Amino acid sequence: MSTPPTQCEISMTVNGEKKTVHAFPMARLLDVLREHLRLTGVKEGCGEGECGSCSVLMDGNLVNSCLIPILQTQGSNIVTVEGLAQGPQLEKLQQALLDCGGAQCGICTPGILMAARYLLNRKPRPTLEDIREGLSGNLCRCTGYAQICDAVAEASVRENAL
Amino acid sequence: MTSEQIIGKAVPRKEGWDKVTGRAQYIDDITMPGMIYGATVRSSIPRGIIRNITFPPHIPWDEFVIVSASKDIPGKNLITLILDDQPCLADGVVNHPEEPILLLAHSNRYLLRKAVDAVVIEYDPLPAIFTIAESENRAQIIWGTDNIFKTYLVEKGNVDSIWNDAAYIVEGEYTTEAQEQLYIENNGMIAQYDSSHGITVWGSLQCPYYVHKALMMLCNLPEDKVRVVQTETGGAFGGKEEYPSMIAGHAALLAMKSGKPVKIVYDRMEDMTATTKRHPSRTRHRTAVDRNGKILGGEIDFVIDGGAYATLSSVVLSRGTIHAGGPYYWPHIRIRAKAVATNAPPHGAFRGFGAPQSLFAMELHMERIAAAVGISSVEIRKRNFLQPGQTTTTDQVIREPIDLSRLLDRALELSDYQAKKNLFDIHNKTASQKKAIGIAAFLHGAGFTGSGERYLASVVGVEGLPDGRVRVLVSSTEFGQGTKTVLSQIAAETLRLPYEDVEMAQPDTETVPNSGPTVASRTAMVVGKLVQSAARGIMQTLLASGSLNESYSREDFLAACRKYVAEHGELKSWARYEAPPDIFWDDQRYRGEAYAAYAWAVYIAEITLDLATYTVTVDDFVALQEVGKVLHPVLARGQITGGVAQGIGYALYEKVVWNNGRMQNGQMTNYIMPTSADLPPIRVYFEELGNVHGAFGAKGIGELPMDGPAPAIVNAVADAAGVRFNSIPLLPEDIFSVVSAAAEEADHVPQGVR
């Protein structure tokens, strides 16, 4: 039998805080976030990078955390849905999603929010086509996406009205 | 805030804040001290006798909790539902792939996975059957004496008398395939047991009292020793109606044996391959039509494939049967329906519940009738639409003032139907990307079929809280559709309180009454009406107590409620369903008022068919429906757009690939549902006739949008291709094979005959 892998020490910034975890090198970022750091807003829908429910920002890029071995995250900056709102106030994107009916059962919502955040960070004034493309890696079975797209457009308007 | 501002207003979703912050706790987000993980060892063959089970020595089996059918079930080895034919664990024989055989639990999930794979089960295989035709042929009897779970016969008038008067007799056969619900949250449960409290399960589910009943029987525990709590549920669509009883049963058995809390959460492949899907169906139509295109009568033969156990098939069949005639007037009709057994995992509830299947057939068949008579898709429908005063196929008189021709005209206008049709006729003469526009008209009954609501006798409670606010007590569950929000609106409107003063109890069988399952588009209409009654009871109690006047303000109400609760300990009001006196249903003859209300709709799909790739793109979609009072415009629109998206998937994207009764593509990678980049603008319009049987005039809305997209799209694809299609799904390879077969046939027809 092969010897079991040893755990590695990983330091990263998660939602603005320095974190150090000990995990097997091929542990999924998804599991480390959910189980070690109890950030259960990060959801597992498929475990193979299709549904986007586990989307987080890693060094500003949108990634499926189910596909990232923890070894790759050394020194990185991770933002999850829990890191979007500062304090008790929702951020404009979250509020827009609520107002427009973009969250139904809510299980895809954290991933949708991260994908939309990533899009708006890169493109503060996206077209509808940009939004449809930007969310196309996140499956939602409830909404048919229409009200999610409305919400991202609305968030863009509200954020640019600052 | 006055009452008029709550009903019909887009108030914030009750649990919305938790959902957009990631704080909402779904079952996999919950852990308990000492909790271990459970998993299911399943059959690898469709049918056979279990000869031997061995546990290879490379796994430390003494660390595992192992549950088997023969040793570890305190009660009956059943998942009780309608017919008690489905075991919780296979005992000696298996009847479908992925049937549960053994349960394992361990604190290490990774070792658990290895252990599940390590168990060796030897079988003596038996011949299995996989299609409706094989089941009907009875080469193998796999269920009962004839492979038939249930039959219905609906007869109206004398259909045998009409054939001689027919100018045209139009026949057709239409089939639909299975569809996976594909909620994004996989199924999961946690169970905990101790001898004083009994068993408690928390989980992702639609129907707490279905699970409650199943656990009482399985665990041999009295009512008060079984507690079922719904946690935040990440989509369901019917897929969490019956199967959660199975998973709860498994978790409960492991918890009882181990004495520890046990969590079972399926991964995507287990969820897709082992749990329920939409029933495959076959519908045959034979219709007599006069020279003007008026339907004289007809015969419909409707069959669904129920899989290996009866589960909900009889009820799915019922709804499909009653909807089989569509929104049309049939002077004479005979509908024969049956649900048959095959060696696939049981098919089950999925939004629409039999109606999408039979309505698909009806709406394709209308096109065939139109073609035979030589009139348009619009005209054939207008000449046959049900009108107020006429009767449905079950002899139910249409009492509401629905005008389907006007509804159709409005949909034509909204979609610019005629202009586009003319334009596409010219465009298609030269283009290889053919464009077309298709129609589907349909209805959907709200609430349980026939006597169902009478049998359910749902109970709803409203209670006054010590701070003066109120709480609604129902077992009706939220899984995205807005149950919590809409029922709060109804209570708030009834009590003339702000929406924020109403809260919803968590569905927990220890604290909420049985308001029935959250299915059948019944929550807003049936449960909503009961919430209204129970809330009125609270108001009447407070008025009678003397501490509240008729013209009360919010503050007056809160003060009176606080005072009452302080003085009497509690303030609760209950309402139980009572069937309206004008609702009568004959279960034996399948006649009468099948549903207290119907929603009506016309959907129009505009598509492009690319004859180079055989792909279909939906370019525009108009969804016009009459759903009674729209209680919440944003949620209502969300129900329609979501349902239409699932319908588009049903028609064009989603195909279950079967091999020996097992789904081969149980992954999101190869079972494809639409993404945001695939869908057209879905334009949603409502008409609001109202409904005396629903709270503030509401009807059911949840299932309706599943019925129309597939036939509207396929009618358009047929028009674009110039070829008939009789089945869904239509993936490019399916379109290719139908189009090329038609071309080949045309080549073989002798010149003179063409």
Side-chain angles (χ1 to χ4, degrees):
Chain A
M1 265 180 88
S2 59
T3 49
T6 48
Q7 294 200 344
C8 56
E9 183 179 293
I10 299 289
S11 297
M12 50 188 175
T13 305
V14 180
N15 297 333
E17 289 177 35
K18 289 271 181 228
K19 297 283 180 190
T20 300
V21 297
H22 293 88
F24 292 113
M26 290 303 286
R28 304 181 301 176
L29 173 58
L30 168 66
D31 297 325
V32 172
L33 291 172
R34 286 179 56 84
E35 288 164 21
H36 295 232
L37 303 177
R38 294 299 299 155
L39 294 170
T40 55
V42 188
K43 305 299 183 191
E44 175 165 2
C46 68
E48 56 181 8
E50 284 290 336
C51 75
S53 301
C54 65
S55 301
V56 299
L57 297 182
M58 178 173 159
D59 295 330
N61 291 311
L62 184 68
V63 299
N64 288 316
S65 64
C66 74
L67 298 181
I68 304 285
I70 198 67
L71 193 66
Q72 282 185 9
T73 65
Q74 186 69 266
S76 66
N77 184 7
I78 307 286
V79 181
T80 72
V81 68
E82 288 91 345
L84 284 181
Q86 302 299 321
Q89 286 288 315
L90 296 180
E91 79 152 2
K92 290 188 168 64
L93 174 60
Q94 291 167 307
Q95 189 62 52
L97 201 73
L98 267 190
D99 295 345
C100 297
Q104 287 193 23
C105 84
I107 195 80
C108 74
T109 301
I112 293 274
L113 283 165
M114 300 320 291
R117 183 70 270 152
Y118 175 68
L119 173 69
L120 292 173
N121 287 351
R122 279 183 316 147
K123 215 168 213 176
R125 290 181 174 83
T127 63
L128 179 59
E129 276 315 295
D130 294 332
I131 296 170
R132 280 158 46 102
E133 179 65 30
L135 296 176
S136 64
N138 292 73
L139 297 179
C140 170
R141 191 58 154 171
C142 292
T143 62
Y145 308 100
Q147 286 162 310
I148 296 176
C149 294
D150 292 351
V152 178
E154 177 63 24
S156 161
V157 170
R158 292 183 192 178
E159 288 181 358
N160 288 308
L162 274 174
Chain B
M1 189 186 275
T2 65
S3 57
E4 284 73 17
Q5 287 174 292
I6 301 175
I7 289 292
K9 191 188 169 203
V11 296
R13 177 180 276 278
K14 271 283 167 195
E15 76 294 355
W17 197 88
D18 287 342
K19 285 177 172 173
V20 298
T21 54
R23 283 173 176 79
Q25 294 281 290
Y26 300 81
I27 191 65
D28 201 21
D29 303 334
I30 296 168
T31 61
M32 294 188 183
M35 189 178 83
I36 60 174
Y37 298 94
T40 314
V41 180
R42 299 175 177 280
S43 60
S44 56
I45 65 163
R47 185 169 176 239
I49 294 163
I50 299 170
R51 202 174 63 225
N52 195 25
I53 301 178
T54 49
F55 298 86
H58 67 278
I59 301 286
W61 293 107
D62 55 341
E63 294 175 11
F64 283 79
V65 184
I66 304 177
V67 163
S68 68
S70 56
K71 287 191 263 191
D72 305 300
I73 298 180
K76 290 185 180 162
N77 181 14
L78 280 179
I79 300 301
T80 188
L81 190 60
I82 296 172
L83 301 179
D84 287 339
D85 68 330
Q86 187 179 27
C88 178
L89 291 172
D91 192 3
V93 293
V94 295
N95 288 305
H96 63 81
E98 306 297 323
E99 184 160 6
I101 296 173
L102 282 179
L103 304 170
L104 306 178
H106 196 279
S107 58
N108 181 327
R109 271 185 303 173
Y110 306 98
L111 188 57
L112 180 64
R113 187 70 249 162
K114 283 186 181 168
V116 167
D117 293 340
V119 176
V120 177
I121 302 177
E122 292 163 80
Y123 306 90
D124 290 325
L126 292 168
I129 53 176
F130 303 112
T131 63
I132 287 172
E134 285 173 343
S135 186
E136 285 179 316
N137 293 343
R138 299 180 196 175
Q140 297 295 324
I141 300 295
I142 63 154
W143 196 92
T145 56
D146 53 9
N147 292 337
I148 296 175
F149 292 128
K150 186 73 184 180
T151 62
Y152 296 109
L153 174 64
V154 174
E155 289 226 70
K156 177 185 178 186
N158 179 6
V159 79
D160 299 322
S161 69
I162 59 172
W163 303 106
N164 289 336
D165 301 330
Y168 308 94
I169 294 175
V170 185
E171 297 185 47
E173 179 177 312
Y174 311 91
T175 59
T176 63
E177 251 297 347
Q179 184 186 21
E180 165 60 32
Q181 293 91 351
L182 214 68
Y183 32 73
I184 307 295
E185 181 208 24
N186 289 313
N187 269 290
M189 291 282 166
I190 298 175
Q192 186 171 38
Y193 176 78
D194 71 68
S195 52
S196 58
H197 297 94
I199 195 85
T200 303
V201 299
W202 295 261
S204 182
L205 56 94
Q206 287 178 242
C207 310
Y209 278 93
Y210 280 7
V211 177
H212 188 262
K213 184 179 167 197
L215 290 179
M216 282 168 59
M217 178 86 87
L218 179 73
C219 303
N220 192 27
L221 289 169
E223 203 175 332
D224 62 342
K225 291 282 186 285
V226 175
R227 180 180 169 204
V228 179
V229 185
Q230 185 225 7
T231 51
E232 199 70 67
T233 296
F237 316 112
K240 293 170 183 171
E241 177 169 351
E242 71 273 36
Y243 205 87
S245 297
M246 175 74 81
I247 308 166
H250 291 167
L253 293 175
L254 286 166
M256 288 179 89
K257 186 154 182 188
S258 66
K260 294 176 180 165
V262 176
K263 179 192 270 190
I264 297 180
V265 173
Y266 287 178
D267 67 15
R268 180 57 61 183
M269 187 175 282
E270 183 171 24
D271 198 302
M272 289 179 83
T273 55
T275 77
T276 60
K277 289 170 197 37
R278 186 184 300 288
H279 289 70
S281 77
R282 184 197 69 207
T283 310
R284 290 179 176 144
H285 274 266
R286 183 164 185 261
T287 313
V289 187
D290 78 9
R291 69 176 68 253
N292 298 316
K294 220 166 169 60
I295 293 172
L296 300 172
E299 290 183 292
I300 304 175
D301 178 271
F302 177 57
V303 190
I304 61 172
D305 169 359
Y309 295 109
T311 64
L312 290 169
S313 287
S314 58
V315 200
V316 172
L317 183 70
S318 165
R319 188 172 279 269
T321 303
I322 292 169
H323 286 75
Y328 304 109
Y329 177 60
W330 297 80
H332 305 272
I333 195 164
R334 179 183 297 130
I335 307 172
R336 289 183 196 278
K338 67 182 171 193
V340 301
T342 63
N343 294 110
H347 297 297
F350 189 171
R351 192 180 207 162
F353 209 72
Q357 290 94 318
S358 63
L359 284 166
F360 171 77
M362 184 70 252
E363 281 305 276
L364 262 63
H365 194 62
M366 284 310 275
E367 295 297 319
R368 196 160 292 186
I369 296 172
V373 179
I375 61 177
S376 72
S377 306
V378 172
E379 204 48 47
I380 192 67
R381 287 178 171 82
K382 286 190 173 178
R383 290 183 194 180
N384 289 289
F385 274 144
L386 265 171
Q387 288 168 21
Q390 289 183 329
T391 54
T392 66
T393 56
T394 64
D395 268 335
Q396 174 171 3
V397 178
I398 298 299
R399 295 202 181 90
E400 52 187 321
I402 183 69
D403 183 345
L404 289 168
S405 288
R406 207 189 58 73
L407 200 71
L408 174 55
D409 281 337
R410 188 174 168 213
L412 297 176
E413 199 178 302
L414 290 165
S415 60
D416 204 10
Y417 178 88
Q418 201 53 54
K420 282 190 171 155
K421 205 165 173 53
N422 296 342
L423 187 69
F424 295 162
D425 283 346
I426 299 164
H427 166 95
N428 288 349
K429 283 182 183 143
T430 53
S432 69
Q433 300 214 330
K434 309 286 186 195
K435 288 180 175 291
I437 187 162
I439 301 174
F442 54 102
L443 75 176
H444 199 96
F448 261 41
T449 300
S451 322
E453 292 296 344
R454 203 183 298 251
Y455 294 137
L456 278 178
S458 299
V459 178
V460 158
V462 174
E463 68 174 326
L465 300 171
D467 68 359
R469 297 159 72 248
V470 299
R471 173 157 54 195
V472 177
L473 305 170
V474 290
S475 64
S476 306
T477 48
E478 168 70 54
F479 38 86
Q481 76 290 45
T483 298
K484 286 183 176 175
T485 306
V486 166
L487 295 182
S488 297
Q489 284 178 282
I490 290 168
E493 175 104 26
T494 306
L495 292 170
R496 310 199 310 257
L497 287 175
Y499 169 72
E500 294 73 22
D501 286 337
V502 179
E503 63 178 65
M504 296 294 297
Q506 182 175 27
D508 174 344
T509 56
E510 202 167 78
T511 53
V512 301
N514 188 353
S515 60
T518 308
V519 303
S521 307
R522 65 185 292 278
T523 303
M525 182 175 107
V526 179
V527 181
K529 189 92 174 171
L530 293 172
V531 168
Q532 200 177 4
S533 304
R536 275 201 200 110
I538 293 275
M539 189 200 286
Q540 279 156 7
T541 303
L542 291 178
L543 290 173
S545 77
S547 51
L548 196 64
N549 293 320
E550 286 282 357
S551 59
Y552 63 82
S553 68
R554 173 195 180 232
E555 284 65 32
D556 297 339
F557 182 95
L558 297 189
C561 183
R562 270 196 302 270
K563 180 161 178 277
Y564 192 98
V565 175
E567 283 173 8
H568 297 83
E570 67 171 26
L571 169 58
K572 283 185 178 172
S573 162
W574 308 99
R576 179 183 288 272
Y577 178 82
E578 280 172 30
D582 57 344
I583 301 280
F584 181 74
W585 177 256
D586 180 343
D587 264 329
Q588 298 308 310
R589 293 162 66 225
Y590 241 61
R591 292 177 83 162
E593 311 280 320
Y595 299 99
Y598 292 90
W600 309 91
V602 177
Y603 284 7
I604 299 193
E606 184 186 327
I607 62 105
T608 301
L609 166 63
D610 185 335
L611 280 178
T613 61
Y614 294 92
T615 48
V616 173
T617 313
V618 183
D619 302 316
D620 187 29
F621 200 97
V622 167
L624 169 64
Q625 47 259 308
E626 192 288 310
V627 294
K629 175 68 184 169
V630 173
L631 300 177
H632 189 299
V634 172
L635 293 182
R637 182 180 159 224
Q639 284 297 293
I640 303 303
T641 53
V644 168
Q646 289 177 358
I648 291 173
Y650 190 36
L652 296 175
Y653 291 85
E654 300 178 33
K655 185 182 228 175
V656 177
V657 179
W658 298 102
N659 183 21
N660 287 329
R662 186 179 187 276
M663 183 184 193
Q664 299 299 293
N665 53 335
Q667 290 169 275
M668 285 172 163
T669 307
N670 44 23
Y671 180 88
I672 304 300
M673 62 162 272
T675 72
S676 55
D678 298 318
L679 293 173
I682 299 167
R683 298 194 278 139
V684 179
Y685 303 92
F686 292 109
E687 305 231 329
E688 300 175 84
L689 278 184
N691 167 29
V692 294
H693 301 294
F696 299 100
K699 293 178 179 174
I701 187 172
E703 295 176 290
L704 175 82
M706 191 69 224
D707 297 339
I713 288 166
V714 175
N715 285 339
V717 175
D719 192 28
V723 174
R724 280 176 184 165
F725 291 87
N726 301 317
S727 61
I728 44 170
L730 290 183
L731 275 64
E733 58 268 33
D734 304 303
I735 296 173
F736 171 77
S737 66
V738 172
V739 170
S740 52
E744 206 163 286
E745 199 172 296
D747 284 346
H748 286 99
V749 178
Q751 279 291 328
V753 181
R754 236 187 268 179

